[in-house]
């Protein structure tokens, strides 16, 4: 039962261009969404979050968009840099899940220089 | 910047042995979590801990698992009798009321 889905296992982008990572969820009770970045042999690092009362949150090169009616969120990275190459996890919390995080499977982003 | 630390970074143990994975959360955080990621699979929630007791646990967190905060700083995960399928990366996380979860670097557990 995949409550949080990241349907693209990998994405390859040229340095300087926009990276768009997508995430879909099925549980309408989720009210808080997060993106984490993970390098090999390290723990997930928090990137950016968004509450369900917003549809956009921006932090530097990272912007998260939330479309509640479509149960879809996306992470935009612009401009992409080689150091952004990592696995990106979408996570959600809220509803019956309380404050624990339900993770997507992750998307491997490769930024080519 | 404060960070969550975990020890050891890699633990190899034989099936049936007990292991204790240790975490030092960020000092002013109130909520503590263990997650795990089996190789090639999703990051999965195991247990959350608040106010010195388990607040939630997943189906994975059966009687073989326990957590403790023995001294107000460490947060440990014990697996009493390890199984091959317990091999995974185990991540500790902590957060305060207003912060998002901060994860530790993980402990790679290998059960042989």
């Amino acid at each position: 039962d995949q409550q949080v889905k990241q349907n693209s296992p990998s994405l390859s982008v040229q340095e300087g261009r926009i990276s768009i990572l997508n995430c879909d969820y099925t549980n309408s009770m989720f009210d808080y969404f997060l993106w984490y970045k993970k390098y090999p042999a390290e723990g997930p690092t928090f990137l950016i979050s968004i509450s369900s009362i917003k549809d956009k949150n921006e932090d530097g090169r990272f912007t998260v968009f939330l479309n509640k009616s479509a149960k879809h969120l996306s992470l935009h990275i612009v401009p992409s840099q080689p150091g952004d190459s990592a696995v990106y996890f979408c996570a959600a919390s809220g509803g019956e899940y309380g404050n624990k995080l339900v993770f997507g499977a992750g998307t491997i982003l490769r930024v080519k220089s | 910047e404060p960070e969550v630390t975990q020890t050891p970074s890699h633990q190899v143990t034989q099936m049936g042995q007990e292991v204790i994975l240790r975490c030092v959360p960020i000092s002013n955080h109130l909520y503590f979590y263990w997650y795990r990621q089996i190789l090639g699979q999703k990051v999965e929630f195991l247990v959350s801990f608040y106010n010195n007791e388990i607040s939630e646990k997943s189906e994975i967190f059966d009687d073989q698992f326990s957590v403790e905060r023995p001294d107000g700083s460490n947060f440990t995960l014990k697996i009493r009798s390890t199984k091959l399928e317990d091999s995974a990366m185990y991540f500790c996380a902590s957060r305060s009321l207003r912060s998002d979860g901060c994860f530790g670097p993980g402990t790679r557990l290998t059960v042989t």
Side-chain angles (χ1 to χ4, degrees), chain A residues 2 21-22 24 29-31 34 38 55-56 60 62 64 67 72 76 80 91 95 99 105 109 111 113:
Chain A
Q2 292 186 60
L21 297 128
N22 293 303
D24 297 292
M29 298 301 289
F30 286 139
D31 58 11
L34 308 91
K38 185 179 178 304
D55 53 21
K56 177 182 173 181
F62 302 93
V64 56
N67 182 334
H72 176 84
H76 292 210
S80 302
N99 61 23
L109 173 66
V111 180
S113 54

Side-chain angles (χ1 to χ4, degrees), chain B residues 54-67:
Chain B
I54 291 174
S55 47
E56 276 186 271
K57 58 184 181 179
S58 71
E59 293 172 353
I60 303 165
F61 195 89
D62 62 21
D63 291 344
Q64 294 301 311
F65 291 85
S66 62
V67 288

Side-chain angles (χ1 to χ4, degrees), chain A residues 1-5 32 34 36 38 41-46 49 89 96-101 103-105, chain B residues 31 33 35 37 41-45 48 55-58 89 91 95 99-106 108:
Chain A
D1 178 23
Q2 292 186 60
Q3 299 269 1
V4 178
K5 301 178 207 179
Y32 194 64
L34 308 91
Y36 284 85
K38 185 179 178 304
E42 293 185 15
T45 304
F46 170 75
S49 61
F89 291 99
E96 70 265 34
Y97 292 94
N99 61 23
K100 75 178 188 229
L101 298 175
F103 282 85
Chain B
Y31 299 88
Y33 306 84
Y35 289 82
Q37 185 181 26
Q41 297 186 23
K42 286 188 181 187
V43 177
E44 302 171 289
F45 168 77
S48 59
S55 47
E56 276 186 271
K57 58 184 181 179
S58 71
M89 282 290 289
F91 296 106
R95 70 174 188 91
S99 73
D100 297 293
C102 296
F103 282 79
R108 179 174 297 284

